[in-house]
Amino acid sequence: WTLLRGRSNRFQPMKEMFVEISGEDAFLDTNSPQYRALVFLAEQDPLKLNPNDPILSKQIIQRYVLSVLYFSTNGPSWKHRVYWLTGQHECGWQYVICSDVQEENNNTTDAGKTKRQKVGLTSDKFNPENMDDDFSDFADSDLGLGKGRIITGLKLFDNGLAGNSLPLELVELKYLHILDLGSNNLVGTIETYFSQFTHMRELYLNKNEFHGRIDANMTKGLTKLKVLSLGHNFLTDQVK
């Protein structure tokens, strides 16, 4: 690879970081969701996050995954997308749910005293109502960067998402507790990579246009799953 003339000094190290997630081929097409997400983060993101700062790597990856999802599902036509792809912390992007916790030696600890209830990622007492989905409060606060705010939910129900497949990059959001993509216009197959969401409690993919067979391995790793909603698609051999 060579740096393109006029690119910021963040472009190449970010590209190398994202190739580890998406593979090199994802960036051959400059119109791909991955390439567009790279351009946003390296060239357009007002935060100008430094990819060489290890403290910020998790935040950069979170913003990358959300940006790929946005571009993969026709984000500009979503019904609601307040603060998406802006300089606000990604925990302030509309319908993104975060827990104010951080990983430390494979455990979870508070990232600091705030008014929000802390949700331990390893707790079995998970309750979506305890998680923050008030994006305006996040967006208007000085959250700081790289302080362990981890995405634990996406509630994009009936929001106009449309696309031929869900991006594999979603698996980088390792601590998702709830993913609600119901009542959208998503097509394609439901991939077995969902089995990697080992913290998932609620998964809603209902009322889309998914088709094909449901692989039994899809739920193999979802030992904490309480709700799985796949109805009103075009699926066969549905998981029970």
Side-chain angles (χ1 to χ4, degrees):
W1 297 325
T2 58
L3 280 174
L4 297 179
R5 182 174 300 175
R7 292 297 189 191
S8 75
N9 57 8
R10 294 185 301 278
F11 188 89
Q12 190 67 12
M14 280 191 174
K15 184 176 181 181
E16 293 173 359
M17 180 187 298
F18 300 153
V19 162
E20 294 296 318
I21 297 171
S22 304
E24 186 174 348
D25 289 349
F27 299 92
L28 297 179
D29 180 359
T30 57
N31 290 316
S32 72
Q34 293 80 8
Y35 194 93
R36 295 171 71 185
L38 167 62
V39 171
F40 165 69
L41 286 160
E43 308 292 342
Q44 301 166 354
D45 188 351
L47 290 187
K48 300 184 185 300
L49 298 176
N50 180 3
N52 297 311
D53 185 342
I55 294 177
L56 299 178
S57 62
K58 289 181 181 178
Q59 183 180 13
I60 292 172
I61 290 173
Q62 287 193 150
R63 290 175 79 81
Y64 172 68
V65 172
L66 292 181
S67 300
V68 171
L69 176 64
Y70 180 87
F71 288 121
S72 296
T73 57
N74 199 22
S77 295
W78 288 2
K79 295 179 182 178
H80 308 287
R81 52 187 176 89
V82 178
Y83 296 123
W84 278 73
L85 271 64
T86 69
Q88 302 291 356
H89 193 286
E90 64 275 11
C91 289
W93 296 3
Q94 193 171 15
Y95 303 138
V96 175
I97 303 170
C98 288
S99 294
D100 200 15
V101 296
Q102 66 184 18
E103 297 175 277
E104 187 173 284
N105 297 326
N106 297 321
N107 295 313
T108 55
T109 60
D110 288 348
K113 298 294 184 180
T114 75
K115 66 181 180 181
R116 293 179 182 76
Q117 179 174 350
K118 307 299 185 298
V119 180
L121 296 178
T122 59
S123 171
D124 289 327
K125 297 180 180 180
F126 168 73
N127 181 352
E129 298 304 318
N130 292 337
M131 303 182 71
D132 183 70
D133 58 359
D134 182 1
F135 59 92
S136 61
D137 190 27
F138 263 110
D140 292 338
S141 301
D142 180 14
L143 296 179
L145 304 175
K147 298 295 181 62
R149 291 169 178 83
I150 294 184
I151 295 173
T152 47
L154 294 173
K155 289 183 175 181
L156 293 165
F157 171 84
D158 190 21
N159 200 38
L161 279 70
N164 292 324
S165 63
L166 292 175
L168 176 63
E169 288 79 5
L170 280 174
V171 300
E172 294 298 318
L173 302 181
K174 302 179 186 301
Y175 292 100
L176 277 182
H177 282 142
I178 180 170
L179 177 62
D180 189 349
L181 301 177
S183 295
N184 284 292
N185 299 301
L186 299 169
V187 302
T189 58
I190 296 178
E191 304 296 338
T192 57
Y193 67 66
F194 279 101
S195 65
Q196 298 181 45
F197 290 112
T198 56
H199 293 275
M200 189 74 74
R201 267 74 164 181
E202 301 180 27
L203 176 59
Y204 302 90
L205 301 175
N206 56 302
K207 296 184 179 179
N208 281 284
E209 297 181 30
F210 292 115
H211 62 269
R213 298 183 59 184
I214 299 296
D215 193 317
N217 290 325
M218 187 189 105
T219 59
K220 192 172 183 180
L222 304 181
T223 58
K224 297 181 180 180
L225 192 66
K226 304 297 183 184
V227 178
L228 175 62
S229 182
L230 300 175
H232 300 280
N233 283 289
F234 302 97
L235 300 168
T236 58
D237 296 333
Q238 292 207 8
V239 175
K240 297 181 179 179

